[in-house]
Amino acid sequence: NGTVFVTSGSETGVVYVLRARDGAKLWQFPISDVEDMPSLAVAGGVVYVGQGSGTSGDGRLEALRASDGTRIWSSPTLDSGTPLLAATSSAVYVGDGILDYGMGYGAGGRISALRAANGRRMWSKTIGDIGPGPVVAGDVVYVGGPAGGIGVGMASAGRMYALRASDGTTILELPTIGAAQTAPALTVSDGVAYIGDVGGQVLAMRA
């Protein structure tokens, strides 16, 4: 729609919205007390901004009107790392409780679906340290997590999940290989999820 959305960080952050043809600033939204670079997703005229915990120990997800930056709603997230986001016109999917790869933590990580209109949680599923994803394709959410609730960075085997977008039900699981400070790569095309991991595998997953 001729608009560019940009985030900056890290201890204090700003969301900038620029006009694509000339870079003119249309609006900005300040984010204070953040730990890492904010995450960003845009869908259905809404900008979603995820911020990790800062000195307050609280992470947050902000939903802003794309046209002028007005806050629509705000929701707390788990207080470890910047939440990972994917959005559609009806929902935003949030991977939070993310901890550093290679640290062997992450049992509290979860993937959740929140209603776009009001931020109300539709469902939530605990899968451990989140990465990669989430990625939404049709009515399926693809997301990675570790085996047995151990951080991907320390695990020899992680998992890729295909979840039903409407209720979080697991449709399919697939093993992947992780290594220190590395998460598998994930992309979805024509209903097939392609996962490349550090074990040298490229796996194709159709839910």
Side-chain angles (χ1 to χ4, degrees):
N1 64 354
T3 307
V4 179
F5 301 88
V6 182
T7 61
S8 69
S10 58
E11 289 186 4
T12 58
V14 180
V15 178
Y16 296 99
V17 179
L18 312 176
R19 191 163 50 216
R21 70 172 182 267
D22 58 8
K25 184 173 67 178
L26 301 177
W27 56 264
Q28 69 181 58
F29 184 85
I31 304 170
S32 61
D33 194 29
V34 296
E35 187 173 71
D36 300 308
M37 185 74 72
S39 55
L40 187 69
V42 183
V46 180
V47 182
Y48 300 96
V49 183
Q51 59 188 82
S53 58
T55 57
S56 68
D58 297 319
R60 298 208 67 79
L61 174 64
E62 305 278 3
L64 313 175
R65 188 179 298 135
S67 59
D68 59 10
T70 300
R71 180 189 280 116
I72 302 170
W73 52 261
S74 181
S75 177
T77 61
L78 296 180
D79 60 358
S80 299
T82 301
L84 304 178
L85 306 177
T88 67
S89 60
S90 59
V92 57
Y93 300 89
V94 184
D96 60 3
I98 304 153
L99 295 165
D100 292 337
Y101 291 111
M103 301 303 291
Y105 302 111
R110 66 184 178 183
I111 176 74
S112 303
L114 280 62
R115 294 191 188 280
N118 54 22
R120 183 174 300 171
R121 195 173 303 277
M122 300 161 57
W123 54 262
S124 185
K125 186 180 185 71
T126 299
I127 63 174
D129 207 357
I130 306 293
V135 175
V136 184
D139 59 354
V140 180
V141 180
Y142 296 92
V143 65
I150 301 174
V152 171
M154 295 297 288
S156 59
R159 310 293 295 178
M160 285 301 306
Y161 296 88
L163 310 176
R164 187 176 296 131
S166 59
D167 60 11
T169 299
T170 300
I171 302 170
L172 190 63
E173 292 185 36
L174 188 69
T176 62
I177 297 174
Q181 299 183 357
T182 307
L186 168 65
T187 188
V188 178
S189 178
D190 296 327
V192 179
Y194 298 92
I195 305 101
D197 65 25
V198 296
Q201 301 181 99
V202 178
L203 309 174
M205 178 184 188
R206 186 190 297 275

